[in-house]
Amino acid sequence: DGIRDSTGDWSSDVCSRSTVMVVNLYYTNPDLVPTPGFGYLIPQSVPFTQNPEFALGVVFDSYATPDLDASPGTKLTVMLGGHYWDGRSDAELPTPEEGQKMAEQVVARHLRVSDKPDVARAWLHKNCIPQYTVGHRQRLQSVDEEIKRWGGRLSVGGAWVDGVGVNDCIFSGVFQGMTLHRGYTGLELALESKEGLRAKMPPGLTV
């Protein structure tokens, strides 16, 4: 049991994780996005005929992060897979070339983009998105009790605890770094009430 083995991976005992392929598409044509905005997510209610690639969503990087570089044009990020790929073996996951083709099909169907991308890159991120299933809090409480046996010498954090975003992970790391001397486990961010957490926040951090 990883929770009782000090060398084990606690995160694998607490939650499962999904695999995502991220495909970046760049077009020199700057006018391919019909409506400016951050992008869109694709809910499970969308029928298979409209999303056979199992896309999770598309980010309009040209508008979401316009100052990231000086290159003009249309920049899109297509996310594929996630929970749709749960249970698949490595052999059943798409190659980067297949992922690029799938991403092009997604933006052609949803955004009517018929241009071929001038640059395309696809990356497969295995087990990268934690899934907070029923019982997550109870499993975290078990880990919290186990960490307390270390007598304040251990603190943990990360996306598997509470919050998969970059901001959540940074906040978790800062909280750990500023409170380890107090003997905290790092799981307070997920387990404490808002009132209890406010009392434990170090100066400069707010809930």
Side-chain angles (χ1 to χ4, degrees):
D1 188 332
I3 292 179
R4 291 174 175 78
D5 179 2
S6 62
T7 63
D9 179 3
W10 277 318
S11 66
S12 64
D13 290 288
V14 172
C15 61
S16 60
R17 288 163 284 193
S18 290
T19 294
V20 173
M21 178 169 278
V22 176
V23 185
N24 299 116
L25 304 173
Y26 170 72
Y27 307 82
T28 53
N29 185 344
D31 303 314
L32 295 179
V33 175
T35 303
F38 184 86
Y40 62 95
L41 297 176
I42 304 173
Q44 293 186 58
S45 58
V46 172
F48 175 78
T49 54
Q50 294 182 29
N51 188 28
E53 298 83 11
F54 297 123
L56 301 172
V58 180
V59 178
F60 303 158
D61 298 301
S62 308
Y63 296 100
T65 54
D67 301 320
L68 194 60
D69 58 54
S71 300
T74 298
K75 304 161 196 173
L76 305 173
T77 295
V78 182
M79 297 162 287
L80 306 168
H83 63 280
Y84 292 114
W85 291 350
D86 288 352
R88 289 194 182 190
S89 65
D90 288 352
E92 294 174 306
L93 296 172
T95 64
E97 294 75 20
E98 291 170 337
Q100 176 185 333
K101 182 178 179 180
M102 293 161 66
E104 290 181 42
Q105 291 171 341
V106 169
V107 298
R109 184 183 306 107
H110 294 169
L111 304 177
R112 303 185 187 280
V113 175
S114 58
D115 296 32
K116 294 293 291 183
D118 295 276
V119 180
R121 297 287 185 272
W123 288 270
L124 183 67
H125 302 278
K126 294 183 179 179
N127 302 320
C128 65
I129 305 295
Q131 305 294 297
Y132 307 136
T133 57
V134 174
H136 181 71
R137 180 181 177 82
Q138 288 72 26
R139 291 189 291 273
L140 282 181
Q141 288 173 332
S142 296
V143 174
D144 188 63
E145 291 302 317
E146 190 68 23
I147 293 174
K148 287 176 180 176
R149 298 182 188 179
W150 289 69
R153 294 178 292 117
L154 177 65
S155 179
V156 301
W160 62 277
V161 176
D162 182 44
V164 299
V166 173
N167 290 345
D168 296 309
C169 292
I170 293 174
F171 189 85
S172 174
V174 172
F175 177 81
Q176 287 177 257
M178 296 180 71
T179 60
L180 184 58
H181 67 287
R182 300 183 185 179
Y184 294 172
T185 66
L187 299 182
E188 291 80 8
L189 293 175
L191 297 177
E192 290 279 354
S193 65
K194 280 282 182 78
E195 293 73 20
L197 200 52
R198 287 194 187 97
K200 293 188 174 182
M201 276 291 149
L205 291 185
T206 59
V207 181

